[in-house]
C-alpha cells in the first residue's frame, strides 16, 4: 500500500502541474484519511467548488464506515 500511495501522490503532482499550465479549474488531491484520489472542479470566476468526485458526502460516509468497522473489530479483540 505504501508504494501505491507514493505512486498516486506522484501522479497527482504531475496532473496538478499539467493543469496549472491551462486555464482549467481542476484540482487533483488525495484524501488524507482514506488515501483515495479526489478530483475537484472549481469555478475560476467565483472560486467555488462546482463538482467534487467522489462527493464530500461519499467521503464522509466511507470515513464513518471505516470508524465503525474499527470500533466493531476493536471490541471483538
Amino acid at each position: 500500500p505504501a508504494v501505491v500511495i507514493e505512486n498516486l501522490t506522484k501522479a497527482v503532482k504531475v496532473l496538478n502541474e499539467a493543469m496549472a499550465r491551462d486555464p482549467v479549474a481542476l484540482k487533483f488531491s488525495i484524501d488524507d484519511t482514506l488515501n483515495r484520489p479526489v478530483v475537484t472542479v472549481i469555478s475560476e470566476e467565483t472560486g467555488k467548488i462546482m463538482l467534487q468526485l467522489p462527493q464530500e458526502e461519499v467521503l464522509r460516509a466511507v470515513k464513518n464506515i471505516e470508524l465503525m468497522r474499527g470500533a466493531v473489530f476493536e471490541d471483538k479483540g
Side-chain angles (χ1 to χ4, degrees):
V3 173
V4 172
I5 293 170
E6 183 180 332
N7 289 340
L8 189 56
T9 301
K10 288 178 184 177
V12 165
K13 182 179 177 184
V14 169
L15 286 169
N16 279 327
E17 288 172 356
M19 297 310 295
R21 288 177 261 184
D22 294 325
V24 178
L26 287 178
K27 178 184 174 193
F28 300 91
S29 60
I30 299 173
D31 181 83
D32 292 334
T33 305
L34 301 175
N35 292 320
R36 294 187 181 182
V38 177
V39 179
T40 308
V41 180
I42 302 169
S43 168
E44 291 183 334
E45 292 177 1
T46 65
K48 292 184 180 180
I49 295 174
M50 298 173 63
L51 176 67
Q52 178 177 305
L53 299 173
Q55 294 179 343
E56 185 64 35
E57 294 82 7
V58 173
L59 289 173
R60 234 187 338 259
V62 172
K63 288 176 186 180
N64 288 335
I65 289 169
E66 292 294 323
L67 286 172
M68 290 186 326
R69 183 185 319 173
V72 168
F73 287 116
E74 187 175 291
D75 289 342
K76 292 189 179 210

